[in-house]
Amino acid sequence: MPDPPYRIVTPRLVVRCWEPRDAPLLKAAVDSSIEHLRPWLPWAEDEPQPLAAKVELLRRFRGWFDLGQDFVYGILDPEETEAIGGTGLHTRVGTGAFEIGYRIRESRTRHGLAAEAAAALTRAAFEICGVDRVEIRCDPANTASIAIPRRLGFREEATLGRRSPARAGEDVKRDVVVFTLFRDDLAVTPAAAVSYEAYDAAGSELGRG
């Protein structure tokens, strides 16, 4: 199975592999949105972190990407001067599949940017990598997050009890809602309508749609 693209361009976004030089952009995005992120992302409890910690984090992300272990992307504006959020094609759901996660900085929410990035990653996963399924998993209480797979045509398959880490100060793990899209269903979903261009690490085009 081919690895995912390093860089994906959509009508409003650049979705690409993080690089250590992006650390100031990442820190600015996280620091401006800590309270927005904290209810849903356990790692936000440890924020804010110093810039050096962000550099090391992005070095790990780049290493995983280069080794084909996991594929974490930054969501940037077209000029690549602002980190709008983060996303990824994660390998934790097994062979022949990816899980998409996403987050958007608070100042850029409610503009459909997470859906645009997720749709482009979904298309790339099927059309370039050839996977059979893509999953999105959400906290049942996170209505904004749940709206995205529904908007893109994913099928809501199940609510799994106590599968996600507990929130800070709580003892019980959180439930998770699982959404799935299979490759042979892509063409009839809204996700297929989002255009993209995809490139490898050397800048050669891998595909577009």
Side-chain angles (χ1 to χ4, degrees):
M1 185 177 74
D3 284 344
Y6 273 71
R7 178 184 178 89
I8 298 171
V9 180
T10 73
R12 296 184 292 170
L13 303 169
V14 172
V15 182
R16 64 162 171 81
C17 173
W18 287 111
E19 299 178 6
R21 64 184 173 87
D22 299 320
L25 301 182
L26 173 60
K27 179 171 172 57
V30 172
D31 288 359
S32 68
S33 306
I34 292 174
E35 297 307 316
H36 173 68
L37 300 172
R38 193 165 278 156
W40 316 114
L41 299 171
W43 56 260
E45 291 296 328
D46 299 324
E47 298 291 347
Q49 293 187 337
L51 182 61
K54 295 304 181 196
V55 172
E56 289 304 308
L57 176 66
L58 296 188
R59 289 182 63 192
R60 289 197 300 274
F61 286 166
R62 177 67 192 231
W64 296 341
F65 211 115
D66 289 341
L67 293 172
Q69 295 175 343
D70 198 43
F71 306 97
V72 184
Y73 293 89
I75 304 174
L76 295 98
D77 68 312
E79 293 76 30
E80 300 184 40
T81 58
E82 179 188 35
I84 293 172
T87 186
L89 289 171
H90 302 297
T91 57
R92 55 195 174 218
V93 290
T95 304
F98 286 125
E99 179 189 342
I100 293 178
Y102 43 78
R103 58 175 174 78
I104 297 292
R105 67 190 298 162
E106 187 172 13
S107 63
R108 292 291 214 128
T109 58
R110 296 180 292 278
H111 296 290
L113 299 177
E116 184 171 317
L121 285 182
T122 298
R123 291 197 65 182
F126 289 132
E127 297 169 0
I128 295 174
C129 304
V131 300
D132 182 56
R133 81 177 190 279
V134 173
E135 293 186 10
I136 295 176
R137 300 187 172 210
C138 308
D139 187 309
N142 192 340
T143 55
S145 183
I146 280 179
I148 291 169
R150 289 175 176 163
R151 174 178 174 180
L152 296 180
F154 281 64
R155 179 189 310 163
E156 184 173 338
E157 290 201 313
T159 298
L160 305 179
R162 300 184 184 181
R163 295 301 202 278
S164 293
R167 295 187 182 93
E170 297 181 357
D171 296 326
V172 179
K173 291 185 175 181
R174 295 171 295 157
D175 296 347
V176 63
V177 184
V178 180
F179 295 86
T180 301
L181 185 63
F182 291 97
R183 182 170 52 189
D184 49 3
D185 294 326
L186 172 66
V188 298
T189 67
V194 174
S195 62
Y196 76 100
E197 302 169 7
Y199 302 89
D200 66 14
S204 299
E205 185 175 307
L206 296 174
R208 63 172 61 207

